[in-house]
């Protein structure tokens, strides 16, 4: 209640003569007075929040005590001081009862104008002092909260820089968010894919059921505040997610929300630049809005979670690169020191599985005498897939995907083998939605190809990655060719000029290596 130059007083007394006296005395002392003789009208006028209410105990419709109780029970008028007057109820018990009903002071009639004004000013001074005290308390509480926020941010920042344990950091962020926001339920969701719809998985949750992270999987970009916040890259909140017309909940998502029991939801996206990584989500059981302070604090936690995810991704990529370099280095040492090409081709197939995160890999070598490609190296981490791949041990030039790659020496990536009529091994297709990758290219008289078979998950990214690993100088395709030249190419007669003769079509010199990874 802000201070005013002219204090406003509401007088409620059914006696017109007393009402005129009270109005005149208070007005002469500099108060702005509004008067009524009806209790219900006094309650209505109190909504304008006067600085003081002078209230008679006896009123024609409601007793002054009932009016006082209602005023003190309402949050909007509870802080307004009430001075009760009575010419009938004058003993100690009456005064005590009035104070218990919420009255701040009690005077008996007849009252002098001097006594009335003095009591009114005393009550206003007390009200102002209490108001300032409350303001100081709120400011101190806000300061304590800001200090706690700063400490929490520093602690989380230290965790991010000092730990490579992503799960531990995300759990720490969720715990601190619960503490600072006064929330019982908080979660961090990670965006794992966006085509054709959102692929969102919760990595850290507090206050929710153990099955929540597995059950809540939004089916569309309007299926909750979290997919909307991620797609639109902005904070999104709803006071009641079950009734908000802007949110198009699917039946499975609605069922999860109803079983968990929360209603108000705030989702803030985790952003790396303009790229969404996920969202931090705050849940409340009661219907109601989120404050700007709530949103600001959650955005800070979202920024920290995004840094943690980015750091984890950078570390993962660095580790993968180091593993690739180690694998390729070991393969190079094997090629330069191995006596048998079959050992090298097996190592090439194993390297393809590791570097491409594939389920199986095969190296095919050309037999020019028969016009066939034959398996020289194979690795499978899936026994069922290995059995299916073993059905074909030799194929003719140009047959199937591998034969086509060998014949054309052109890169080939197939996203879904079910849509590829040239694929021969239908046992793999019957297993489900899989893909194949193959690469072939003529190089110094030798041809090679690398093929990968994998499930449909992250196909686009892995296809690009497979082409990069297989095709770059020093990749496993080049190593397969080097092994073939070293261990398989027979000696040929010289030309007399110190140079090797050109390979003739169909000759042993025309051997080709085809690597197939799945």
């Amino acid at each position: 209640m802000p201070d005013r130059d002219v204090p406003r007083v509401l007088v409620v007394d059914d006696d017109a003569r007393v009402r005129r006296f009270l109005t005149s005395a208070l007005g002469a002392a500099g108060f702005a007075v509004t008067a009524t003789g009806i209790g219900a009208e006094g309650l209505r006028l109190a909504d304008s929040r006067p600085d003081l209410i002078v209230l008679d105990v006896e009123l024609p419709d409601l007793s002054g005590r009932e009016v006082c109780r209602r005023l003190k029970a309402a949050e909007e008028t509870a802080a307004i001081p009430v001075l009760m007057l009575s010419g009938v109820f004058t003993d100690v018990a009456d005064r005590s009862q009035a104070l218990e009903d919420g009255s701040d002071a009690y005077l008996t009639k007849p009252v002098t104008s001097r006594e009335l004004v003095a009591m009114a000013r005393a009550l206003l001074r007390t009200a102002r002092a209490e108001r300032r005290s409350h303001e100081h308390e709120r400011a101190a509480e806000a300061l304590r909260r800001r200090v706690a926020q700063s400490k929490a941010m520093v602690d989380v920042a230290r965790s991010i820089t000092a730990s490579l344990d992503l799960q531990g950091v995300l759990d720490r962020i969720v715990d601190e968010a619960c503490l600072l926001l006064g929330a019982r339920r908080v979660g961090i969701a990670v965006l794992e894919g966006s085509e054709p719809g959102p692929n969102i998985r919760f990595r850290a949750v507090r206050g929710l059921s153990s099955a929540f992270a597995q059950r809540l999987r939004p089916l569309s970009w309007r299926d909750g505040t979290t997919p909307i916040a991620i797609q639109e890259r902005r904070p999104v909140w709803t006071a009641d997610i079950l009734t908000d017309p802007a949110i198009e909940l699917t039946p499975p998502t609605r069922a999860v929300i109803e079983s968990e029991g929360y209603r108000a939801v705030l989702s803030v996206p985790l952003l790396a630049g303009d790229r969404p990584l996920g969202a931090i989500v705050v849940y409340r059981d009661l219907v109601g809005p989120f404050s700007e302070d709530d949103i600001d604090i959650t955005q800070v936690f979202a920024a920290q979670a995004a840094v943690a995810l980015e750091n984890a991704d950078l570390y993962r990529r660095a580790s993968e690169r180091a593993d690739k370099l180690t694998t390729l280095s070991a393969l190079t040492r094997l090629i330069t020191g191995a006596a048998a090409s079959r050992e090298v081709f097996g190592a090439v197939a194993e390297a393809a599985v590791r570097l491409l995160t594939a389920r199986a890999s095969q190296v095919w070598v050309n037999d020019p005498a028969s016009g066939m490609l034959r398996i020289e190296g194979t690795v499978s981490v899936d026994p069922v897939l290995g059995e299916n791949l073993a059905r074909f041990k030799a194929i003719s030039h140009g047959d199937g995907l591998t034969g086509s790659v060998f014949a054309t020496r052109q890169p080939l990536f197939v996203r879904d083998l079910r849509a590829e009529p040239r694929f021969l091994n239908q046992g793999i297709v019957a297993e489900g939605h899989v893909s194949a990758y193959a690469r072939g290219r003529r190089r110094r008289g030798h041809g090679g190809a690398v093929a990968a078979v994998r499930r449909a998950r992250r196909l686009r990214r892995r296809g690009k990655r497979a082409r990069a690993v297989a095709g770059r100088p020093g990749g496993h395709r080049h190593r397969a060719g080097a092994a073939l030249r070293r261990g398989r190419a027979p000696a040929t007669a010289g030309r007399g000029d110190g140079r090797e003769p050109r390979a003739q079509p169909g000759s042993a010199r025309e051997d080709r290596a085809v690597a197939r990874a799945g």
Side-chain angles (χ1 to χ4, degrees):
M1 182 173 63
D3 292 335
R4 300 180 179 88
D5 294 335
V6 179
R8 296 183 302 130
V9 178
L10 171 63
V11 172
V12 184
D13 196 305
D14 63 327
D15 188 321
R17 184 173 57 84
V18 174
R19 193 165 60 246
R20 285 194 298 271
F21 165 74
L22 296 174
T23 301
S24 175
L26 292 170
F31 296 95
V33 183
T34 302
T36 181
I38 306 298
E41 179 68 9
L43 288 173
R44 186 187 68 80
L45 293 173
D47 289 340
S48 64
R49 301 183 66 180
D51 300 303
L52 173 67
I53 297 176
V54 178
L55 180 62
D56 186 23
V57 174
E58 286 190 293
L59 296 172
D61 53 343
L62 297 172
S63 71
R65 291 173 179 173
E66 177 62 23
V67 172
C68 184
R69 282 193 292 267
R70 293 188 187 184
L71 289 171
K72 296 300 182 178
E75 182 178 357
E76 296 79 6
T77 57
I80 302 174
V82 176
L83 169 59
M84 296 195 73
L85 303 176
S86 178
V88 177
F89 302 98
T90 60
D91 58 21
V92 174
D94 295 326
R95 296 181 182 183
S96 300
Q97 184 61 50
L99 294 175
E100 290 181 1
D101 291 333
S103 173
D104 297 276
Y106 194 94
L107 293 177
T108 59
K109 300 177 183 177
V111 60
T112 66
S113 59
R114 183 175 182 180
E115 184 180 15
L116 173 67
V117 171
M119 181 61 74
R121 287 174 175 167
L123 290 174
L124 289 176
R125 285 195 300 270
T126 302
R128 291 192 186 99
E130 290 179 352
R131 184 169 63 253
R132 293 192 182 101
S133 176
H134 292 158
E135 291 173 353
H136 291 160
E137 288 178 1
R138 286 194 296 268
E141 178 60 29
L143 179 59
R144 285 192 293 269
R145 189 176 184 185
R146 290 298 181 185
V147 170
Q149 291 171 9
S150 300
K151 183 179 182 300
M153 303 310 171
V154 171
D155 291 343
V156 172
R158 287 174 178 169
S159 298
I160 293 174
T161 57
S163 175
L164 295 175
D165 178 13
L166 175 62
Q167 188 61 52
V169 173
L170 295 182
D171 288 340
R172 179 68 178 271
I173 292 173
V174 167
D175 290 338
E176 294 292 348
C178 286
L179 180 63
L180 291 185
L181 293 169
R184 191 168 63 89
R185 311 182 188 205
V186 176
I188 292 179
V190 176
L191 180 65
E192 297 186 338
S194 57
E195 294 181 2
N199 182 7
I200 297 172
R201 181 169 66 93
F202 280 84
R203 289 288 303 269
V205 294
R206 290 292 182 274
L208 298 155
S209 69
S210 58
F212 173 80
Q214 288 72 38
R215 294 179 60 202
L216 188 63
R217 304 300 291 267
L219 301 179
S220 75
W221 290 109
R222 307 298 300 177
D223 192 15
T225 58
T226 299
I228 296 175
I230 292 174
Q231 185 184 48
E232 298 182 3
R233 298 169 176 79
R234 64 177 180 86
V236 175
W237 64 267
T238 175
D240 187 355
I241 193 169
L242 293 178
T243 61
D244 194 331
I247 300 174
E248 302 168 5
L249 296 179
T250 60
T253 299
R254 181 177 291 275
V256 172
I257 294 172
E258 290 175 344
S259 66
E260 295 290 338
Y262 59 81
R263 301 297 291 271
V265 185
L266 165 64
S267 296
V268 176
L270 315 181
L271 300 175
D274 193 47
R275 180 169 59 91
L277 305 178
I280 182 169
V281 192
V282 181
Y283 306 91
R284 289 178 179 168
D285 295 348
L286 300 179
V287 174
F290 289 86
S291 67
E292 289 297 325
D293 195 38
D294 292 334
I295 297 173
D296 290 343
I297 294 173
T298 308
Q299 283 182 308
V300 174
F301 282 120
Q304 291 184 318
V307 171
L309 289 173
E310 280 287 273
N311 287 349
D313 187 58
L314 290 173
Y315 177 74
R316 177 189 58 79
R317 283 186 285 173
S319 298
E320 288 180 353
R321 180 171 178 81
D323 185 61
K324 291 175 186 177
L325 293 175
T326 301
T327 300
L328 293 175
S329 177
L331 185 58
T332 300
R333 290 195 300 270
L334 181 63
I335 291 172
T336 57
S341 294
R342 182 174 291 275
E343 182 181 0
V344 175
F345 291 139
V348 170
E350 183 177 358
V353 168
R354 292 186 61 186
L355 297 178
L356 304 181
T357 319
R359 294 165 57 207
S361 172
Q362 293 177 311
V363 177
W364 297 74
V365 176
N366 180 35
D367 182 357
S370 62
M372 303 288 288
L373 296 172
R374 302 186 187 280
I375 295 177
E376 290 289 342
T378 182
V379 173
S380 176
V381 297
D382 185 336
V384 176
L385 179 59
E387 291 178 5
N388 286 329
L389 290 174
R391 295 176 184 176
F392 288 80
K393 300 183 181 300
I395 57 176
S396 300
H397 296 172
D399 286 351
L401 294 179
T402 303
S404 299
V405 169
F406 174 79
T408 62
R409 278 67 169 178
Q410 295 298 319
L412 176 65
F413 174 63
V414 179
R415 185 175 300 277
D416 187 353
L417 288 175
R418 296 176 299 183
E420 177 50 71
R422 292 175 297 174
F423 187 65
L424 301 178
N425 198 336
Q426 294 301 314
I428 297 177
V429 175
E431 182 185 342
H433 189 196
V434 295
S435 70
Y437 170 78
R439 183 180 181 92
R441 177 181 173 189
R442 184 181 298 274
R443 179 176 173 85
R444 296 183 182 177
H446 297 275
V450 177
V453 179
R454 69 183 76 247
R455 296 193 186 278
R457 184 180 177 189
R458 297 175 69 182
L459 293 182
R460 177 174 298 176
R461 179 177 178 182
R462 293 195 182 278
K464 183 177 180 181
R465 172 185 171 192
R467 287 192 289 271
V469 173
R472 67 170 179 253
H476 47 271
R477 174 177 61 81
H478 295 276
R479 282 167 170 75
L484 192 149
R485 291 194 297 276
R486 180 182 180 279
R488 294 287 303 234
T492 57
R495 297 173 52 188
D497 57 3
R499 292 179 293 171
E500 293 182 351
R502 295 186 178 88
Q504 299 299 318
S507 69
R509 186 65 176 170
E510 191 67 11
D511 284 356
R512 305 286 188 255
V514 178
R516 178 183 182 83

